[in-house]
Each structure stands twice: as C-alpha cells, then as structure tokens.
Amino acid sequence: MNVIGKVTVLPRLPAAISRLEELAYNLYWSWTPRAQELYSVLNPEVWNRFQHNPVRTLLEVGAERLAEVAADAAYLARYAAVLTDFDAYMNRQDTWASRHAAGLAGAGKGIAYFSMEYGYHESLPIYSGGLGVLAGDHCKSASDLGLPFTAVGMLFRQGYFTQLFNKDGWQGERYDELDLTTLPVRPAKLPNPDGTDGDEARVSVRIMGREIVLRLWTLQVGRIRVLLLDSNVAENSEEDRKLTARLYGGNQELRIQQYLLLGIGGVRALRAMKVSAGVYHMNEGHAAFMALERVRELVASGQDFRAATEAVASATLFTTHTPVPAGNDAYAYDLTDRYLGDWPAQLNTSRAELYELARQDQNWDNQVVPSFSMSVFALRMSRAANGVSRLHGEVSRGIWNFLYQGAEPEEVPIGHVTNGAHNLTFLAQPYRDLFTGVLPHDWTERLEDRAMWEAVRGISDHDLAAAKRAQKVEMVEFVRASVRAQQERNGAGAADVAATDTLLSPDALTIGFARRFATYKRATLLFRDRARLSRILNNPDRPVQFVFAGKAHPADNPGKAFIQEIYRVSQESEFRGKIVILENYDMNVARHLVQGVDVWMNNPRRPLEASGTSGMKASFNGAPNFSVLDGWWVEGYDGHNGWPIGDEREYADLNVQDDADAFSLYRTLEDSIAPLYYAQDSEGQNHGWLETVRQAIVTVSPEFSMQRQVIDYVQKYYLPLSARGQRVQENGDALARQLGDWKAWIRQQWPFVSLQANAQLPASVNPGEHVTVSAQVNAAGIADGDLHVEAVLKRGEHMIRVPLESKGQGQYEASVPLEGSGLYSFGVRMMPVHAALSSEFELGLLKWA
C-alpha cells in the first residue's frame, strides 16, 4: 500500500467517561498514577505493550470494554475523583507564580524555554537521558507553579533508539518510527484574530539555499504548552525530511542543521503561534542559534546589529550542563561558512564581527585554529549563565575563564542552580499515600517547603517498611519479566529462561545503578576487585545484589564495552542472579528502579558529574544514596542520609583515583551499609535503617525538588532578566543602542589603554594598619567614569577588592587596610564599567598593572 496519510479516529466514548480523551492529551496523567490507572485497567496488556500511552490504549480498546467500565460504579467513582483533581489543577488561579512572579505575566513577557530533548514519559521517546528528563521535569514544575511558560523542541520521529542486548551482552540499536497519530500530540493550529483555530501551523528555515518547512505540533503538559518542530512533511526533500528523524544521530553537518532548525525555527514557531515571551532560556548550547533569529528580527525592523545584540542578550539565560571543554559543540570556520554564510548580510554586520561572538581557539591536529563554539556564542548572547550544581558552577567558571582574561576563576559571571527532579513523576503511589497521611492537604503544592517534610518522621516503622517492601517486590518482578523477555528474544534455552524466576531476592540488600554509560561515570568500578566483591555479594548473613541499567551512545564503543563487561560478570556462577543489567533504559525502567531499590549508587570520576538527578528520585522513594561527592550529592549529603564514596578531592593519577574510590566503596559497603541494613531488633524491625530512610526523604525531597529548582530560576534569573530586558528595550531600545555604541568604542580603544601602579609596602605591618596604593592610567580617551581601577589583595583563597579613587589627570589612589595577619599578594587592575552592564566582567576586558 502506498500510504499518503494517516488519521486517528478515536472511539466514541460513552458519555459517562467522555473526558478520557481530553485527559489523554494532557501529560498531567504522566505524574498522576491514579489517572494512569483509568487507562491501564481498560486493558493491561495493551497498556504495557504500547509504553503506557493512554491515546493508543483508547484506540486499541473495543467499544464493548468501554461500555463495561462506563457502567462500573467503582470505575466511575475513580474517574470522577481524578477529573475533579484535574479540573482543580487546571483552573487554579491562586498559584505560586500569581503570588510571587506576577512580573512575568502580561504582553511581551513570559518565558520561552528551548531544549534539544525532552523526557516527559516513555511513550514519547524524544530524549536520550538526564538532560531531556531534566527539561521535561522543568516544564512540569513550571506548570505546577503556574508560570507563563512555553517550551520549544524537536519532534524526533525515531526518537533516540531502542537498546537491545544480543546473547553476548553487546548493545545494539533499533530505530522505530513513531506513529504521531497515536501519541498525545496534536498538530498546532494558527490562532485566528477571533480566538478560533485556523490552518495548521508551518514555519520555514532557509539552510544552504534550501527552504526547509517545519510542521508544528503541540503537547499539553498540565497548564503549559510545548511546541515541537517536525521537518517530515511533503514539501521537503527526502534528506531534509530526515533532519528531525533521530536525536543526536549523524555527523557535525547534521547536528548544525538540527541546531539551526531548533533555534531559528523555534523562534519563528513562537511568532506564528502568537506566544508572548520576555525571557528566553537556552537549555544547553544546542539552542544558541535562537539569538541569530531574534537579532535578525530587530535588524529587519531598523536597528543596527550592535544594538540588536544588546537587546536580545539582555533577556537571555544560558544553562550549561557540560563539565568538560570537549563536550561543547564547536565548528571549523569552513563548515560554519557553509551554514551561516548568508547570515552576516541578514544581520547587517561582517563575518568577523559575528564570528567573534562565538570564537574559541581549538588545538585540532596540533594546530591552533579558531572555531565557532555554540557554548561561547550562548555565553556572549546571554546576560546570565549558570551551571547545574554548586561544584559544576565552579568547574564551568574554570572552563570559561579564558573569555574573561585577567579575572579570577571565582569572578567569572557564571552562577549555578542545582538541579532537582519532579517529585510526583517519580514518587510511587504507596509513598504518596503515606505522605498524604502526615503532610498538609496541599503538600503537593509545597514540595520545596523543608519544614513541612519534617512530619515524615512521624510515619511508623511498620508502615514505612511495608511501603518499601511492596515497591521492592514490584521491582523484582519487573526485573525478572524484563530479563525473561530478553532471553526469549535471544533464543535462550528453557533452563536459562526458567532461571529468570529466581533473579534477585526481595530479602537481600539491593543496590541500583542506572545512567548514561559514558566512561567517566565508571559503571564498572564495582568490579575492580572481583574476589572482594564476590565475598560481599555471597555473604550468607548479609547478602548484597546489584541491578544496572543504562544506554551508551551508538558511537561510544568504550561505553558499550562497559555494558558488556557487566553482562558477562552477571553470567559468572558466583554472581549469577545477584548482578543484573537491564536493556533499554528509559523512564519506565528508571521509575521501577528508583522506587524499588534499597540504595542508589553513583560513582563518576569527580568532578565530571555536572549534577546527576537519578539519586534524588531514589531518595524521594526512601533509597539513601551511596555516591561520590560530586554533582548534587556534595550538596545533598549530610552525614546521615546516605554514604560517600571516596574523598572530596581530585587526583592527578586516574588509576590512583579509581583504586581509592573502589577501596572506599567496598569498605563502606562491608562496614557500614550492609550491617545497618541487616540489623534487627527482637521484633524484627530495623529502626536504624528506617531512620536513614526517613532522613533521605526529609532532606532530599524538598531541597532537590524540581519545584525548588524552578523557583530558584524565577528568583535568580527570570525576574531579573525580565526587568533588565524591559529596561534595555524601552524607549525604542535607546539603552540597547547606547550600550552597543559604548561597547564598540571601548573595544576599539582598549588596546591603547595602559596602567601602571605601585604600593608603599614595608616588609611587615601590624593588623589594622594601612598601605597606600596608587596608579597611573593612560585612558586613551575613555572617560574616568567609564573605568574602574582597584587594588586586589589575595591571602590564600581569600580575595579583597578595594577601589582606587580618581585624583584627576589619570592618577588613582587608595589607602588599603590590612585587617588580618598573613601573607598578602597585591595587584592593581582596571576594567570598563557601565551602569547597564549585567556584570562588571561582561565585556571580558580587564588589564592588570
């Protein structure tokens, strides 16, 4: 059959349950287990076969079954309760945002959030891992808080990939074409002036002379809308239709085209759908080309390039997730020319001026060459930037210090917002029920409230242990079913298939490890001393077992080798049934593991874990973390809510680091975790272990909730950027023009500016005495008020800054106090200043005497 199109015909639902269709098209159900149950009970086999997709479930269930539940009083009662909660959620006016972020509401305001991937639910596989799940969780909490928020992304028809292990444990990839007509997405309709829906929305992006048409789809996530871009339309060539086929597939040329579609097409999608936005948030450098289109719009309206650049950057936030320089996309200029060749003309600027905004010199093939760096461009085109944990903020300031030459690493204007996770997406229903019994009635709206969570300590040992036991049994059954299906697909013998019935024991201490299999995450660190590991796992009094899951990038053979090593170890007689690795790690697998394991383990090579979020989700469900002090855990560990692996330090020798961390892992497992888990009183209860469980829930649930994270973004970045953007762009962008002209003048004159200084420093002084520091500035025509000259004193890691006062004729002076004892280093430096700068280091210009 030559298929020319598809259409979804949903069943005619009985009146009593007619709103099941409405609910199916709002991902509110993805974090509401009671809503999911309305679909799963229609046909559990269909529900599981189609990745828990309510739209597909409704399509597959017959009219007879629908009529049956429509006459079932118990079902109708559950249906009514879910819809009552849904309506209350959707119609609530008194939201957190209405009380605390009213400045983001109104015409020309709101937040536009751009991300390459989104992980909302396993039925919509347009994510690869943590970055996507984080973006999806960010959207969910933006909805919970009532923010005026629109997300923009790509609708990848083949998603990331389905991971399949062969009989030797080697990862294979299968790309399945998504049938969009059976997913909870709908074609976007252009809004008519009267508020009705018009034609299906299309935008286009010109790349290398080709006009690429993008169809827009909408996804409803609670109260917010997501716009997804799709190039698979008849107007495009066969090659261009594949541009939105796979996430992170192909070479650099495919990636840069995808980034152009996301950034430029995404802005045009917002305009087509009449979405109001005053703050633009780039989630990673993939989205940086959004700045090109926004500058082009302003240039087309009559602004000059420099003023337009200031106006665009004034209200833009960049979040970096990458803890290593090599992880940032950068393109040679000849490749960039092919794809951005016509953009300087569109922006009414020169190639050199545009490329300078993204320039990063790279050592490629033993030659230093300039490149167009997406992350540098994102930093230059934003006025706020952040890492995703406190330690990652420090690492990022070190990585990008070269852009602010002369500034100390701690002065680089990159802050941090520590990641969180959407509690309700990952919290098992038994825990919800327990929490509802002790927390206030509105606890799901106050997830970030630390004091509120203290009431969890009132849950009895009996009830807490029962909830944990139920979730652990469910996880073990899930693991056995998953491995059984894998064995049967690979043609395993009857004995091997039957052996899956005894995989893992619900009575043994169970530790989970699941994440992307990048080599720096050291998934195989556990096997560094197999003899010792065998003794731990096979201890007759305190047995331990591990369950692993994770995907390696299709091109990452070292990561695949780690997967295979774990699989092969799991087949050895001494580890069989006690070590398991599951295939096709996705949100469904993740949910089962974080809800069912006793302990969550993470052992990346510090400091390369930007944040990590899987351990947070485990602790929401009462699983303490056993992790390297990196990413979020260095902030989350309090000495009582889990255990550290290794020390809070870095190593020059990686083998020494691996040995030290493996030794710490084994010793902590043997001496602390296993004895605490198996200690029981005369009544068979383990009060000590359950106190650790409570401490994990009480400390991690609020502090690492996505609600706390999004509130941090609102208060630290969205509100200030919204106000800054309005200030820069008011009065016909007068301040933007002034800033653009002023920066051009400063950059032109800066090479001719000079600074000399001296300090009257005796060999030693007493605490409280002063020394005089003076400087002579040749300002090269720059006004005194546009320069800041200061003395910098460093004593160890402590830095003191004292401004020097202008005395005229280029003379500056200050009396500098020496308050404490110690050895001080003195320096004098100068930088350009303007009241409208986002940071004194915004220009990256600084001179030391």
Side-chain angles (χ1 to χ4, degrees):
M1 177 179 178
N2 184 22
V3 178
I4 62 170
K6 291 184 178 182
V7 63
T8 302
V9 180
L10 286 170
R12 190 182 301 278
L13 294 168
I17 56 171
S18 61
R19 295 186 66 194
L20 283 178
E21 177 185 344
E22 175 192 351
L23 184 61
Y25 279 94
N26 189 318
L27 263 66
Y28 168 87
W29 56 258
S30 71
W31 66 87
T32 312
R34 298 294 191 217
Q36 294 168 35
E37 288 172 8
L38 295 179
Y39 302 97
S40 65
V41 299
L42 297 177
N43 187 320
E45 190 275 330
V46 166
W47 175 253
N48 289 321
R49 177 153 47 98
F50 293 109
Q51 292 77 47
H52 317 120
N53 175 357
V55 175
R56 186 62 182 267
T57 300
L58 289 178
L59 287 169
E60 298 290 332
V61 172
E64 184 178 332
R65 175 59 177 155
L66 293 171
E68 181 183 339
V69 298
D72 182 335
Y75 182 91
L76 291 178
R78 296 197 301 271
Y79 170 85
V82 168
L83 268 296
T84 297
D85 289 345
F86 176 58
D87 288 339
Y89 178 90
M90 294 297 293
N91 298 323
R92 183 172 292 115
Q93 300 299 313
D94 182 28
T95 62
W96 181 92
S98 71
R99 298 189 301 273
H100 302 286
L104 296 175
K109 299 182 181 180
I111 302 128
Y113 181 89
F114 282 60
S115 183
M116 190 70 172
E117 54 173 301
Y118 290 93
Y120 296 111
H121 187 259
E122 61 267 19
S123 62
L124 190 62
I126 55 173
Y127 63 97
S128 71
L131 176 70
V133 176
L134 181 91
D137 282 4
H138 195 114
C139 294
K140 292 173 183 177
S141 281
S143 168
D144 294 340
L145 295 168
L147 289 175
F149 186 98
T150 303
V152 179
M154 310 272 272
L155 187 49
F156 294 102
R157 286 175 173 259
Q158 295 178 8
Y160 191 42
F161 64 86
T162 298
Q163 178 196 50
L164 301 170
F165 295 161
N166 66 16
K167 58 184 177 58
D168 297 318
W170 186 257
Q171 171 183 298
E173 297 87 32
R174 188 185 73 207
Y175 290 89
D176 300 316
E177 191 82 13
L178 298 177
D179 185 349
L180 303 188
T181 65
T182 65
L183 293 175
V185 297
R186 283 176 162 150
K189 300 292 184 68
L190 293 172
N192 288 324
D194 63 359
T196 60
D197 288 340
D199 296 334
E200 285 193 5
R202 298 280 204 278
V203 297
S204 65
V205 178
R206 193 169 185 81
I207 297 179
M208 292 184 68
R210 296 151 20 233
E211 202 71 29
I212 300 172
V213 176
L214 297 170
R215 184 185 191 184
L216 308 186
W217 296 80
T218 60
L219 176 69
Q220 197 68 31
V221 181
R223 302 181 182 111
I224 73 150
R225 181 170 56 172
V226 184
L227 300 177
L228 298 172
L229 313 176
D230 174 19
S231 70
N232 188 20
V233 295
E235 298 95 313
N236 293 331
S237 69
E238 192 63 32
E239 285 305 304
D240 288 341
R241 294 178 73 160
K242 295 177 182 177
L243 288 174
T244 57
R246 296 181 182 179
L247 173 63
Y248 303 141
N251 55 20
Q252 278 198 317
E253 299 220 14
L254 175 64
R255 293 281 286 270
I256 195 172
Q257 290 178 86
Q258 289 181 330
Y259 297 165
L260 286 164
L261 293 182
L262 173 63
I264 297 164
V267 172
R268 293 177 182 176
L270 292 173
R271 305 296 182 255
M273 298 300 294
K274 302 293 190 291
V275 174
S276 172
V279 175
Y280 291 78
H281 186 171
M282 297 184 278
N283 189 43
E284 197 47 277
H286 312 137
F289 286 140
M290 69 149 75
L292 286 178
E293 174 63 9
R294 291 166 58 213
V295 170
R296 186 201 62 77
E297 290 176 328
L298 295 177
V299 169
S301 71
Q303 280 199 24
D304 67 82
F305 173 72
R306 291 167 182 166
T309 297
E310 290 302 322
V312 166
S314 67
T316 302
L317 168 66
F318 168 50
T319 296
T320 174
H321 294 260
T322 309
V324 290
N328 296 273
D329 290 293
Y331 304 106
Y333 278 2
D334 59 345
L335 176 62
T336 312
D337 286 341
R338 290 207 291 278
Y339 291 98
L340 298 185
D342 59 347
W343 274 90
Q346 292 188 64
L347 303 179
N348 197 22
T349 188
S350 67
R351 172 185 182 270
E353 188 168 19
L354 175 60
Y355 282 22
E356 190 62 29
L357 290 171
R359 177 170 176 163
Q360 181 178 7
D361 292 339
Q362 306 274 359
N363 190 334
W364 286 339
D365 298 327
N366 295 318
Q367 285 187 307
V368 177
V369 295
S371 72
F372 189 103
S373 165
M374 296 295 289
S375 293
V376 172
F377 190 56
L379 285 164
R380 294 296 197 208
M381 293 306 300
S382 58
R383 291 296 172 261
N386 70 282
V388 291
S389 69
R390 186 176 64 213
L391 182 57
H392 180 237
E394 294 176 14
V395 171
S396 297
R397 289 188 285 275
I399 291 174
W400 303 112
N401 201 165
F402 74 91
L403 296 175
Y404 309 90
Q405 291 187 3
E408 297 294 319
E410 60 266 29
E411 296 177 304
V412 171
I414 299 176
H416 82 275
V417 172
T418 299
N419 281 346
H422 190 252
N423 305 59
L424 299 183
T425 293
F426 297 95
L427 189 62
Q429 188 64 50
Y431 295 112
R432 289 187 185 222
D433 295 340
L434 282 181
F435 297 163
T436 298
V438 297
L439 297 178
H441 69 91
D442 61 346
W443 69 272
T444 59
E445 299 168 40
R446 297 166 50 192
L447 294 166
E448 79 288 356
D449 186 341
R450 297 172 181 84
M452 178 193 76
W453 283 95
E454 288 294 323
V456 166
R457 300 189 193 280
I459 298 173
S460 71
D461 281 2
H462 176 273
D463 290 346
L464 185 56
K468 288 196 64 62
R469 175 72 179 185
Q471 287 305 125
K472 188 174 183 180
V473 168
E474 183 177 318
M475 182 204 69
V476 169
E477 291 174 352
F478 173 80
V479 168
R480 290 172 178 175
S482 299
V483 176
R484 186 181 307 115
Q486 175 191 329
Q487 294 273 38
E488 291 173 347
R489 190 192 68 247
N490 286 328
D496 288 334
V497 173
T500 60
D501 291 337
T502 58
L503 282 177
L504 305 182
S505 165
D507 298 316
L509 170 61
T510 305
I511 299 176
F513 179 105
R515 56 196 25 87
R516 185 167 54 92
F517 264 59
T519 51
Y520 78 86
K521 293 180 183 283
R522 298 190 301 181
T524 58
L525 184 69
L526 180 67
F527 308 120
R528 203 161 179 86
D529 184 342
R530 292 192 187 180
R532 188 170 184 182
L533 177 63
S534 178
R535 291 196 299 273
I536 294 171
L537 268 60
N538 293 294
N539 185 318
D541 299 317
R542 298 199 293 254
V544 181
Q545 57 196 12
F546 287 83
V547 56
F548 288 84
K551 287 181 176 179
H553 186 279
D556 183 8
N557 283 333
K560 292 182 180 181
F562 275 15
I563 291 173
Q564 187 175 51
E565 180 180 350
I566 296 172
Y567 178 81
R568 287 177 171 171
V569 170
S570 74
Q571 301 305 301
E572 295 177 6
S573 58
E574 58 191 313
F575 300 117
R576 197 172 181 89
K578 300 180 179 67
I579 292 177
V580 178
I581 182 165
L582 301 178
E583 66 181 5
N584 202 32
Y585 180 47
D586 65 1
M587 291 184 71
N588 182 41
V589 172
R591 256 195 326 275
H592 279 90
L593 296 190
V594 299
Q595 291 175 359
V597 298
D598 297 308
V599 174
W600 195 260
M601 187 173 76
N602 187 21
N603 44 246
R605 192 183 304 285
R606 178 188 158 102
L608 300 183
E609 181 80 296
S611 173
T613 58
S614 57
M616 305 171 186
K617 301 158 191 171
S619 284
F620 296 166
N621 291 280
N625 272 263
F626 177 36
S627 300
V628 167
L629 291 167
D630 195 8
W632 78 278
W633 185 235
V634 73
E635 300 173 50
Y637 173 59
D638 72 352
H640 305 284
N641 60 354
W643 301 268
I645 296 174
D647 300 318
E648 196 172 339
R649 55 168 289 196
E650 285 81 58
Y651 292 77
D653 187 313
L654 301 186
N655 276 319
V656 171
Q657 182 178 18
D658 290 351
D659 283 340
D661 287 349
F663 178 79
S664 171
L665 190 160
Y666 296 134
R667 183 177 60 185
T668 304
L669 193 51
E670 287 175 314
D671 297 346
S672 300
I673 300 176
L676 183 64
Y677 179 82
Y678 285 103
Q680 292 185 344
D681 63 15
S682 59
E683 298 176 356
Q685 286 288 4
N686 188 335
H687 300 294
W689 179 261
L690 292 174
E691 276 307 304
T692 303
V693 167
R694 287 190 189 87
Q695 185 70 10
I697 295 171
V698 168
T699 57
V700 175
S701 296
E703 188 63 30
F704 299 97
S705 68
M706 181 56 68
Q707 205 142 298
R708 188 275 310 155
Q709 179 199 302
V710 176
I711 288 172
D712 281 356
Y713 273 108
V714 171
Q715 294 176 339
K716 293 178 69 171
Y717 295 115
Y718 292 166
L719 285 170
L721 282 170
S722 180
R724 174 182 171 79
Q726 292 174 59
R727 188 170 69 252
V728 169
Q729 296 169 44
E730 64 190 7
N731 299 323
D733 294 312
L735 185 53
R737 291 195 302 274
Q738 179 191 344
L739 265 178
D741 292 343
W742 179 82
K743 285 184 176 181
W745 161 250
I746 295 293
R747 289 193 176 103
Q748 173 185 302
Q749 297 303 109
W750 198 250
F752 310 107
V753 172
S754 62
L755 173 67
Q756 294 179 314
N758 63 76
Q760 300 170 12
L761 302 176
S764 62
V765 296
N766 294 317
E769 292 188 30
H770 288 64
V771 297
T772 299
V773 178
S774 58
Q776 177 68 45
V777 174
N778 172 16
I782 298 175
D784 280 1
D786 290 342
L787 291 173
H788 174 74
V789 182
E790 65 182 14
V792 179
L793 292 72
K794 290 200 74 174
R795 185 182 60 190
E797 296 300 313
H798 186 54
M799 186 169 75
I800 303 169
R801 300 168 60 183
V802 180
L804 272 61
E805 181 182 351
S806 174
K807 302 295 185 181
Q809 306 299 313
Q811 293 285 336
Y812 290 78
E813 188 173 286
S815 178
V816 179
L818 303 174
E819 300 294 349
S821 60
L823 177 63
Y824 287 86
S825 298
F826 268 77
V828 174
R829 66 185 183 182
M830 174 176 61
M831 64 194 77
V833 291
H834 190 290
L837 293 180
S838 61
S839 155
E840 57 200 338
F841 302 103
E842 183 179 310
L843 274 76
L845 300 177
L846 190 149
K847 283 196 176 179
W848 288 88

